[in-house]
Amino acid sequence: MNDGERLVLIDAGTGTLFGSAAGKLIRHLEASGYRADQIDAVILTHIHADHSGGLTVDGEPQFPNANIHVADREYRFWIDREGLASLTAEVKKDLQRAHDALAPYIAADKVKRFADNADPLPNFGSILRPGHTPGHSSIVLKTGDGQRLVFWGDVIHGDYVQFDEPDVFVTFDVDGKAVAATRATALAEAADGRYLVAGAHLPFPGIGHVARDSTLYRFVPWNYVE
């Protein structure tokens, strides 16, 4: 997002962590006319590897001139390891990936933490949406005309199920009960507010509106013109 003052990236993709089918963010940035070193800030919805893994590849920061903005409670869980109930093999892997993604930015004092529901940057707000991870936050692009685009993060993983059954959660949700309540709230607010949402795990184009229907909710994709 270019707000006229800075170039801001919302999440950073997987980098090399999930194989060759993913990790194409920088290539797509370049195809759009931008370079990674032009990014002024990266705001993370959360620190799972598919959202933060692209920050650092083989120990090298991919956005050397950017500050990384992340919710304070998210940082405390993944980096300070506060509130960890158990350390399964999967959790240990996630913790290591989180450390590796942020380590060079922490060392350079480029990680900036924001409080619950606070503005990470001017023109950008946040909405705490806990459950998937403790500090999982949707990011709000504010515009001068009163319109909003809300970057959901991982409010939805399975669009074909969760719009009608928001209480269905995935095994890698840190708190399934909390995430079900969060999803119900996020869906209701999006439908009532009629604002645009962008979901990381929604089908292309990934941006659209939430509408109520006979089975609960449905996603209405934004028209895409090539």
Side-chain angles (χ1 to χ4, degrees), residues 17-18 47-49 52-53 55-56 58-59 77-81 84 87-104 106:
L17 296 179
F18 286 16
I47 310 182
H48 271 162
S52 67
L55 291 174
T56 302
D58 296 328
F77 182 82
W78 292 108
I79 304 302
D80 296 338
R81 304 193 176 191
L84 282 172
L87 280 178
T88 64
E90 192 62 32
V91 170
K92 287 180 180 178
K93 181 190 291 186
D94 286 343
L95 289 167
Q96 187 61 52
R97 284 174 165 176
H99 171 272
D100 293 346
L102 289 176
I106 294 172

